[in-house]
Amino acid sequence: LMQTHAPRKAGGRPERRLLRQSSHDMDVPVLRKPGRGCERHSRLCVRACVLSAAVFCVAYPMAAVVVQRLVDDAELTVQTFILKDPEESSIYVDVVGGALSMITLPLQTSLDDLRFTLLVGNSTVGQMSAGIIPLGYGGSAPIDLDGRLNITDHSGFRQLSEAVIRHETVGLSIDGIATVRAGWLGLRFRNVRVAKHVEMRGANGLAVRIRRFELLDSPARQVGVADVTPEPLHLEMEVDASNPSDFEFLPLGELQFRILTTSGSTFALTTTEGPVSLSRGNLSYFLRGQLWVETRDDLDRFEILLAEYAAGRPSPIVSVFHRVRNQPVYEAALQGLGLHTELPGVPGGVRMFDQVVFHINTLWNIAEAASSNPFEDYVFDEAATLRLSNPFNITTVVAGFVMNVVYHGGQIGKLNVPRLEPPIALHKCESLTPDRMFDLRLQASVPTLRSLLLDLVGSGRVVVSLEANLTLRLGDLASVRVSYVETNVPSALGMPSAVG
């Protein structure tokens, strides 16, 4: 209570004094110091906060360890790995049918901000990132991952492409980090390592099979007789392939191949008809190209291949990726990669000689043979004419031939014309009998030749085999030697005549 007394100080203001009144006079609340209960409550609150912080600091790292272990134990599977839209140093990747299998979780989780490196074997291919990948409550969580793969090592991408096309299995690995988010709790575990390996199926060489191989005249070629303007021969191929792998290149591009013999000599260049894809399953491609024989050594090896082709036997060859038009990433990855296959032979073998006509004096030679030593070869020179057919779908010029004539399994003679002047030009699928005779030397044991002559006189016809060594002009290849055996060639007896 403040009470103002009358006396004033020198300044003229009244002096105030505080008078303490007895509690008996009036009820006034009295302020007291806090008690012991309040102090205890405050201390408990502080301790609870400290304990909670301590528990969190201890439990969170332990939870992070558990989360890392869960991610480590999860198993990654991929159904299809699609590569498309290549650029200078990147390519679009679409992982279809992927799944991450883990134990069932009590709350929903997800992988956020996944950034990883893609490897094949121990080689780095490139780097890629992804947004949010929902994992749900665990179990088998589907993963659809797509985005651009930045190629950081082109040799690694080449190794991946080679493994996909050539090998039966391809081992891919990812190694990166992500943030694991735990549902409604809002917990985030950062820098969780995601390292996974998956074994996928490769194409195992694509099982390439040439269904059709055909030589064609150049469209610009002037078809005449022996002096045809040399132009490279063209060719067409229909090829089947099989891609059993888990990879697809959509599209791969317009491909150019060099066709090689197994000794490594190039004999043709072919290009697919427009851009093609390497999708899963059975595939068919159509290719056009031309023969490409540059050196004599290359021609020698091509002649061996051509002989097998003419005999109707398949020959092993190698198709080598040469160019991928307007796709430098694929070209760098595939160039020089070879696919093994076989060049099919002509069905039934080449049939170039329809008939051989022997122009020999049978009666005179029978009499001469009868008086000869039966233990020595009997030799006489006569002539023969030939009926020829062109078995190829191209203009074929016969520049010479040397042929052994075989009768009943034994050689009885030889047609020896190493150089034809003028050469014989056959248009595609043409048959003709040249108006000329060729030197024929018959040489065999007396019983063999006597049997041949008697058969010719008796029936007028026999069947022989020709061991042919031909010199042909094919397109711009001026001297191609083809050796093969033609069996069951009809032969007849003609009128004796001087060799023309």
Side-chain angles (χ1 to χ4, degrees):
L1 296 178
M2 300 296 293
Q3 183 177 2
T4 304
H5 296 272
R8 295 177 181 268
K9 290 186 179 180
R13 296 183 63 183
E15 182 181 3
R16 296 190 177 187
R17 295 181 180 176
L18 181 61
L19 303 179
R20 183 178 299 271
Q21 235 180 1
S22 172
S23 60
H24 299 285
D25 297 332
M26 54 187 315
D27 294 330
V28 179
V30 180
L31 297 178
R32 297 178 179 177
K33 293 183 179 180
R36 293 182 177 272
C38 294
E39 294 177 358
R40 186 180 299 110
H41 179 74
S42 299
R43 287 195 298 270
L44 288 176
C45 290
V46 172
R47 290 173 182 173
C49 293
V50 172
L51 181 60
S52 299
V55 169
F56 180 81
C57 291
V58 174
Y60 184 83
M62 293 179 62
V65 172
V66 173
V67 169
Q68 181 66 69
R69 182 62 181 271
L70 290 174
V71 174
D72 291 343
D73 292 344
E75 182 180 355
L76 177 65
T77 56
V78 175
Q79 182 177 352
T80 307
F81 195 96
I82 300 174
L83 299 166
K84 55 187 178 181
D85 299 332
E87 295 181 354
E88 184 176 355
S89 59
S90 69
I91 191 168
Y92 193 85
V93 172
D94 190 3
V95 176
V96 178
L100 192 65
S101 300
M102 58 175 55
I103 65 172
T104 303
L105 302 174
L107 68 168
Q108 289 188 340
T109 57
S110 65
L111 285 178
D112 296 358
D113 301 325
L114 174 62
R115 300 183 301 279
F116 63 89
T117 298
L118 178 68
L119 303 98
V120 55
N122 295 321
S123 300
T124 298
V125 178
Q127 295 179 337
M128 188 173 171
S129 61
I132 299 175
I133 302 176
L135 301 179
Y137 289 94
S140 181
I143 294 178
D144 290 327
L145 180 65
D146 63 320
R148 296 210 71 84
L149 173 69
N150 295 312
I151 301 172
T152 57
D153 189 340
H154 283 272
S155 63
F157 186 70
R158 177 182 175 84
Q159 186 173 335
L160 170 63
S161 303
E162 181 176 355
V164 168
I165 291 176
R166 279 186 172 177
H167 298 169
E168 188 173 354
T169 59
V170 181
L172 286 185
S173 301
I174 63 171
D175 193 352
I177 59 172
T179 297
V180 175
R181 181 163 51 89
W184 56 269
L185 292 177
L187 295 177
R188 295 179 183 270
F189 300 91
R190 303 183 186 279
N191 297 324
V192 176
R193 187 185 180 195
V194 181
K196 297 297 168 189
H197 180 81
V198 60
E199 288 289 329
M200 304 181 67
R201 292 176 298 178
N204 198 24
L206 293 172
V208 178
R209 184 177 70 88
I210 299 175
R211 181 164 24 98
R212 182 176 71 89
F213 177 87
E214 188 172 4
L215 295 173
L216 303 170
D217 280 327
S218 168
R221 185 168 186 167
Q222 298 294 325
V223 179
V225 285
D227 57 345
V228 174
T229 304
E231 291 285 344
L233 287 179
H234 286 222
L235 59 90
E236 291 181 353
M237 298 171 64
E238 293 179 9
V239 177
D240 293 333
S242 175
N243 178 19
S245 78
D246 298 322
F247 295 84
E248 293 186 332
F249 294 81
L250 304 175
L252 191 55
E254 184 176 304
L255 307 177
Q256 186 180 65
F257 293 91
R258 288 188 300 121
I259 313 298
L260 279 64
T261 64
T262 52
S263 58
S265 295
T266 300
F267 69 89
L269 289 175
T270 61
T271 305
T272 59
E273 193 173 44
V276 297
S277 294
L278 184 62
S279 54
R280 298 175 67 182
N282 296 325
L283 309 167
S284 295
Y285 302 113
F286 180 79
L287 298 94
R288 299 180 188 271
Q290 64 183 42
L291 288 184
W292 191 269
V293 181
E294 295 187 302
T295 68
R296 182 67 237 185
D297 288 342
D298 290 342
L299 183 58
D300 291 342
R301 293 175 173 87
F302 175 63
E303 289 171 347
I304 298 173
L305 185 76
L306 196 59
E308 295 296 297
Y309 176 73
R313 294 187 292 266
S315 302
I317 59 173
V318 183
S319 298
V320 177
F321 286 94
H322 184 54
R323 296 283 306 276
V324 183
R325 188 167 296 174
N326 300 324
Q327 298 288 7
V329 171
Y330 284 152
E331 183 167 312
L334 299 176
Q335 194 171 55
L337 180 63
L339 300 174
H340 292 267
T341 185
E342 287 185 338
L343 178 71
V346 176
V350 163
R351 306 293 299 179
M352 180 169 277
F353 300 94
D354 293 336
Q355 187 182 44
V356 178
V357 178
F358 296 110
H359 296 272
I360 57 180
N361 189 331
T362 54
L363 296 178
W364 186 85
N365 281 292
I366 289 174
E368 284 292 312
S371 62
S372 300
N373 187 344
F375 300 104
E376 295 180 355
D377 282 354
Y378 180 68
V379 181
F380 59 97
D381 292 321
E382 295 289 354
T385 56
L386 302 171
R387 180 167 178 79
L388 306 176
S389 290
N390 185 358
F392 305 112
N393 195 32
I394 56 173
T395 300
T396 302
V397 178
V398 182
F401 56 82
V402 176
M403 293 188 292
N404 295 325
V405 182
V406 178
Y407 181 65
H408 286 173
Q411 181 178 334
I412 61 167
K414 176 177 287 190
L415 285 160
N416 188 10
V417 190
R419 184 178 179 85
L420 275 170
E421 290 293 348
I424 301 171
L426 297 170
H427 303 329
K428 60 183 181 180
C429 303
E430 180 186 14
S431 296
L432 61 83
T433 301
D435 187 17
R436 67 181 88 175
M437 290 189 179
F438 305 104
D439 291 338
L440 170 66
R441 165 162 285 197
L442 293 174
Q443 178 177 356
S445 66
V446 171
T448 300
L449 283 181
R450 189 170 183 273
S451 174
L452 170 68
L453 296 173
L454 289 174
D455 289 344
L456 284 171
V457 171
S459 64
R461 294 181 179 276
V462 297
V463 174
V464 299
S465 296
L466 299 177
E467 297 175 346
N469 296 276
L470 310 179
T471 302
L472 305 178
R473 184 186 303 165
L474 303 175
D476 61 344
L477 302 178
S479 180
V480 181
R481 296 166 299 190
V482 182
S483 301
Y484 72 103
V485 177
E486 192 164 327
T487 60
N488 299 321
V489 179
S491 302
L493 181 63
M495 295 296 295
S497 176
V499 176

